[in-house]
Amino acid sequence: MPAAAQSTAGSSTRSGEDWEPKIVAFLCNWCSYAGADLAGVSRMQYGPNIRIIRVPCSGRINPLFIVKALQNGADGVLISGCHPGDCHYISGNLIARRKFALVKRFLFFLGVEPERVQFSWVSASEGGRFAGLVNKVISDVKRVGPSGKLAKRLMKV
Amino acid sequence: MTETVDRIKTLARELLTGGKVDVFIGYQDASVPLASRPLLIPAKKTAEGDADIIDRLTWNSFCSNNLAVFLPKYFENAPFRKSKDPVKKTNVGIVAKACDLRSIVALSKERHAPVENVITIGVPCMGKYDRRKIETAMKAAGFDFSDIDRYEEQNEEAADGQVAIHLKSGKSLVFSREKMLQDACAECRFPMPEGTTHLLEGKARNPGDGGYGRIEDFEKLPLEERWAYFSGEMEKCIRCNACRQACPTCYCKECFAEMTDLKWIGVSTDLSDAMIFHIIRIFHQSGRCIECDACYRACPMGVDLRMFTRKMVKDTETLFKYLPVFSREETPPMSTFREGDTEEFITEP
């Protein structure tokens, strides 16, 4: 997993008012990543809390990635792909939609806050939507606080 | 019951000596009381004159193992096989309760048990006992399994059937049949196998209503209580992977839990590793899990896996209108999609 997700789990920034969440964002190469790019090129402001991982398609995302990100200390996971019908690979996001629906429900069933794992569709022309989405996810995750439920606790030496 | 056993033996003998199958899979009595274990009879063995092995076949209310778990390995591609070499497929004869049969169908849909190579012998099922429930009830009465001499079923095809356990001391304990059944059997929606090669005569229990009562009650609990229950169950897990080995539809040659290049599951005793293993394993069973409770039976620690596997079945049924039953036509839910699939989980900024 990316170093960003692993770094400061357990350090003093995990609590208190100056706590900033770390959010892993899996973005599809063709729509959402380009949407994030557009948000940047258009000088839109959004929180610096997300760490983007570019994937070829939202269909590439294995639910393991999601739980593994939470285990490695991410406070939230954002997953975004092309709108249904716009997939570069025709049906990748439609297959992914079924997986995500199950994963979201299952994690909620087990007692993981629904704010931690969020899914959305962002197209390449929706820079504004992307910036808004990121801000919403950040404020959601800030509301539920630091993640700890699936996080791996490393032994202190 | 004895008639059923005789018919299974006759069919097994017919299939094995007639050269129709290369291996026959059924049940035999276990070496411990109130249990059965699988019996795999290779045709080679009967051809050599060891016909007695067929007489070891049995059928009783403790034949709860899901035998479909043995199928995939017979149809794996041999390593280093050249593409022009002819593929010799093994023919398998298998005793199948309705739940085993549903697993076989799920496997055949994913090409792990070709229909033409599997001869199924369907047996109507009256439900199987939960050894743990009997053990608890016996402990409450001050006895344990080592005191058992034999057991006897009374009125097993009626709703008020009982099981009498005769102890070595001469005493007998009588339990209500319904109360001692496995949850999977008490809630079973499809006790009668359909579409088997041979179907034995017999009575099956009345199908359950298919309600998800216990799951729905759990869903109503507050988030933290649900998490406390999940963590509590996961704390019991010793990660022996018995649930995976016992599950007929956990057939991956390389499980994500054993990958080393991307080490998904750590080797530490950390709780999160056990959690992730179970979350993902159960997720992989969506559209495959037939609620046979093979995982629960195999678990040496008694982890309540049924709560979580059943949630996956419930969601697959409610969201995608898919239940793995006897029909071989429907595509498994995770390899297809519909335009109007649910979007309720999408975050709108």
Side-chain angles (χ1 to χ4, degrees):
Chain A
M1 291 304 291
Q6 283 183 334
S7 51
T8 58
S11 79
S12 58
T13 55
R14 304 282 302 162
S15 55
E17 274 178 27
D18 58 343
W19 171 71
E20 287 290 333
K22 281 193 167 56
I23 294 165
V24 176
F26 293 98
L27 305 183
C28 111
N29 179 38
W30 304 96
C31 295
S32 304
Y33 195 83
D37 197 29
L38 182 65
V41 170
S42 319
R43 303 278 189 268
M44 286 169 187
Q45 295 285 320
Y46 61 86
N49 307 59
I50 67 161
R51 314 288 192 270
I52 295 175
I53 297 171
R54 181 165 64 153
V55 289
C57 174
S58 47
R60 173 67 183 87
I61 295 158
N62 184 332
L64 245 179
F65 300 172
I66 302 168
V67 283
K68 200 67 187 169
L70 292 174
Q71 186 192 30
N72 282 345
D75 300 301
V77 180
L78 167 66
I79 287 144
S80 181
C82 309
H83 285 272
D86 295 347
C87 180
H88 185 79
Y89 306 100
I90 299 162
S91 60
N93 56 355
L94 296 173
I95 298 270
R97 184 165 64 175
R98 290 204 152 189
K99 288 190 251 181
F100 299 158
L102 285 179
V103 169
K104 179 101 179 174
R105 281 191 173 209
F106 195 51
L107 289 178
F108 180 59
F109 179 80
L110 300 178
V112 178
E113 300 87 351
E115 289 87 351
R116 296 248 182 258
V117 181
Q118 305 209 30
F119 303 90
S120 194
W121 310 126
V122 173
S123 86
S125 60
E126 292 176 324
R129 181 180 158 96
F130 181 79
L133 176 71
V134 170
N135 285 334
K136 179 179 163 28
V137 172
I138 292 171
S139 69
D140 278 354
V141 173
K142 274 187 178 162
R143 197 173 62 243
V144 291
S147 162
K149 283 186 173 168
L150 276 169
K152 193 165 194 166
R153 278 165 195 80
L154 298 176
M155 207 187 285
K156 290 234 167 62
V157 274
Chain B
M1 286 263 164
T2 48
E3 290 164 34
T4 314
V5 179
D6 290 340
R7 265 180 257 135
I8 292 174
K9 283 180 188 167
T10 321
L11 270 171
R13 195 160 285 131
E14 228 176 83
L15 292 171
L16 283 164
T17 51
K20 288 213 179 96
V21 298
D22 301 308
V23 63
F24 187 88
I25 308 176
Y27 298 96
Q28 62 180 327
D29 284 319
S31 51
V32 289
L34 311 188
S36 75
R37 58 181 165 147
L39 174 63
L40 284 80
I41 311 175
K44 216 168 44 185
K45 210 149 194 185
T46 48
E48 282 164 4
D50 185 6
D52 293 349
I53 191 167
I54 296 176
D55 288 320
R56 273 159 56 189
L57 283 168
T58 187
W59 174 261
N60 56 45
S61 290
F62 291 97
C63 296
S64 45
N65 301 40
N66 192 333
L67 296 181
V69 72
F70 298 109
L71 285 178
K73 75 165 183 198
Y74 288 109
F75 305 105
E76 274 178 9
N77 280 333
F80 312 117
R81 181 178 65 86
K82 295 199 180 70
S83 58
K84 57 179 188 286
D85 293 351
V87 185
K88 165 79 179 82
K89 286 268 172 75
T90 317
N91 291 317
V92 184
I94 185 167
V95 176
K97 307 185 288 294
C99 47
D100 303 29
L101 186 68
R102 288 168 70 196
S103 286
I104 295 172
V105 171
L107 285 170
S108 76
K109 279 182 187 173
E110 297 175 20
R111 296 184 225 166
H112 283 271
V115 188
E116 63 274 18
N117 295 102
V118 182
I119 295 178
T120 46
I121 296 168
V123 192
C125 181
M126 283 302 293
K128 304 291 168 202
Y129 290 120
D130 188 335
R131 273 187 111 227
R132 287 194 181 115
K133 284 188 184 171
I134 295 184
E135 192 175 16
T136 323
M138 283 181 72
K139 273 208 179 118
F143 300 100
D144 66 29
F145 276 169
S146 62
D147 300 322
I148 297 174
D149 181 33
R150 65 200 166 82
Y151 77 94
E152 189 183 2
E153 288 201 77
Q154 298 157 346
N155 227 352
E156 68 204 38
E157 301 206 338
D160 58 348
Q162 286 173 323
V163 55
I165 291 168
H166 301 297
L167 305 175
K168 283 173 189 156
S169 59
K171 262 189 85 174
S172 299
L173 299 168
V174 180
F175 301 116
S176 146
R177 183 183 163 84
E178 280 297 311
K179 278 190 190 143
M180 290 302 140
L181 285 186
Q182 306 181 93
D183 291 347
C185 298
E187 293 171 0
C188 179
R189 278 187 268 182
F190 306 95
M192 192 71 180
E194 285 169 32
T196 49
T197 327
H198 303 278
L199 180 63
L200 301 188
E201 279 170 40
K203 200 168 169 260
R205 21 178 316 112
N206 294 329
D209 61 355
Y212 289 102
R214 193 161 158 254
I215 309 300
E216 278 157 12
D217 290 346
F218 190 74
E219 279 168 357
K220 285 181 200 129
L221 292 177
L223 193 84
E224 292 309 319
E225 271 178 50
R226 295 205 299 272
W227 180 255
Y229 185 76
F230 176 60
S231 338
E233 290 302 309
M234 289 302 114
E235 257 163 39
K236 294 186 206 163
C237 178
I238 54 168
R239 289 170 56 201
C240 63
N241 294 351
C243 47
R244 183 191 69 186
Q245 297 308 115
C247 179
T249 39
C250 246
Y251 55 68
C252 291
K253 278 191 204 167
E254 193 188 9
C255 178
F256 71 94
E258 269 140 27
M259 288 183 182
T260 45
D261 200 355
L262 276 172
K263 191 108 186 73
W264 295 115
I265 306 292
V267 290
S268 72
T269 53
D270 196 273
L271 194 53
S272 67
D273 285 325
M275 286 172 171
I276 288 175
F277 170 71
H278 285 284
I279 292 173
I280 300 298
R281 196 195 79 80
I282 292 168
F283 170 76
H284 284 175
Q285 296 312 317
S286 69
R288 296 185 175 128
C289 179
I290 48 108
E291 310 163 58
C292 65
D293 268 11
C295 47
Y296 166 75
R297 274 193 302 275
C299 182
M301 309 308 287
V303 176
D304 179 15
L305 288 165
R306 185 170 178 76
M307 176 72 92
F308 311 115
T309 50
R310 204 135 193 269
K311 165 70 178 168
M312 202 43 92
V313 175
K314 175 176 182 265
D315 282 351
T316 315
E317 193 189 356
T318 49
L319 292 176
F320 312 131
K321 309 279 173 289
Y322 182 92
L323 201 62
V325 280
F326 307 111
S327 126
R328 290 172 199 267
E329 267 72 63
E330 251 183 301
T331 325
M334 300 317 277
S335 39
T336 184
F337 59 87
R338 288 206 190 91
E339 218 180 301
D341 279 339
T342 179
E343 293 240 320
E344 45 152 38
F345 61 91
I346 295 293
T347 307
E348 293 298 330

